[in-house]
Amino acid sequence: METGSPHDTGTADAPGTPTPATADVPATDADADAEPGAGTEPDAGTEPVWHALPPGLLTMRRLLLVVWLGLLTLATALVPGLLAGPAWGAFAVLPLALLLWGWVMLERNWRSWRYAERADDLLISRGVLWHEETVVPYGRMQLVEVTSGPVERHFGLASVQLHTAAAATDATIPGLDPDEAERLRDRLTELGEARSAGL
C-alpha cells in the first residue's frame, strides 16, 4: 500500500506538468499574433522609397560628351597647329581638360537624379551644386507622356514628361527603361484622374 501511494502521487504530478505546457502554447500563439502588428509600424512611416535612374543614361551622356569634346579637342590641336605652328596646338589641352571634368560631373549628376512615388504626390530630386526637389501632386497632373528621341531609342531609354496646371511644377524624369516609363505614365495618369475626380 505504501509503495502504491508514491506511484499515485507520481501519476498525479505527471498530468499536472502537461497542463502548464498546454497553457504555454496559447501564449506563444499570442506572441506570434503580436509580431505582425509590431511589423506594421515601420510601414506606417512617411519615408519615401527612392528610385534611381538606370546606368544607360550615364553611358549615353558620356558617349555624347566624348564625341563632341573629342572632335573639338582634335580640331583645336590640328587647325592652330597647322596654321600657326605646333606650339599653338597646346590649346587642345583646354577641351581635353573640360572632357575629363565633364566625365566626372556627369556621373555625379546622374547619381543625384531619383524619384519617389508617395500617396498623394511624386517627388523628383536632382542636382549636385544646386540641389532641387520637385513635388508634383497627382491631382494637378494634366498630361503625362513618354518621349524618346533617336539617341535615347538607340540606348533603349525613354523620358517621362509631367505637365501640370502650374508650369512651375512641370517636371521630367529622363533616361528610364521604356517599360518603367510606360508603367509610371499609366500609374500617374490613373492617380491623377482619381485625385481630380475626388476634387
Side-chain angles (χ1 to χ4, degrees):
M1 297 296 292
E2 293 178 357
T3 56
S5 57
H7 289 293
D8 292 339
T9 55
T11 54
D13 291 337
T17 32
T19 309
T22 53
D24 292 339
V25 173
T28 55
D29 293 340
D31 294 338
D33 295 338
E35 289 177 359
T40 55
E41 292 179 358
D43 297 338
T46 58
E47 186 68 22
V49 179
W50 293 99
H51 302 278
L53 299 183
L57 178 64
L58 177 61
T59 303
M60 181 190 72
R61 289 179 172 177
R62 279 181 166 176
L63 180 61
L64 293 175
L65 177 71
V66 169
V67 169
W68 290 109
L69 288 183
L71 291 176
L72 182 60
T73 302
L74 186 61
T76 307
L78 291 179
V79 175
L82 293 176
L83 296 179
W88 292 92
F91 281 104
V93 175
L94 296 177
L96 182 61
L98 185 61
L99 173 63
L100 297 177
W101 178 79
W103 184 274
V104 176
M105 291 303 296
L106 281 178
E107 182 176 1
R108 294 185 60 187
N109 180 266
W110 168 72
R111 291 184 182 277
S112 70
W113 274 88
R114 55 183 186 165
Y115 63 96
E117 304 171 53
R118 297 198 300 185
D120 298 321
D121 49 38
L122 177 72
L123 296 180
I124 302 175
S125 177
R126 73 272 188 195
V128 179
L129 299 179
W130 289 273
H131 181 75
E132 297 181 16
E133 189 168 293
T134 304
V135 180
V136 184
Y138 296 138
R140 294 189 177 183
M141 290 185 185
Q142 294 181 336
L143 177 63
V144 182
E145 58 181 353
V146 176
T147 61
S148 181
V151 179
E152 287 181 314
R153 285 197 304 270
H154 178 75
F155 286 90
L157 301 173
S159 299
V160 175
Q161 294 184 352
L162 311 171
H163 303 279
T164 62
T169 55
D170 288 354
T172 302
I173 305 177
L176 296 175
D177 294 328
D179 294 337
E180 171 64 12
E182 293 178 1
R183 182 203 68 83
L184 191 60
R185 177 199 59 193
D186 295 339
R187 173 173 169 78
L188 295 179
T189 302
E190 180 182 356
L191 290 174
E193 292 175 352
R195 295 298 191 278
S196 60
L199 292 177

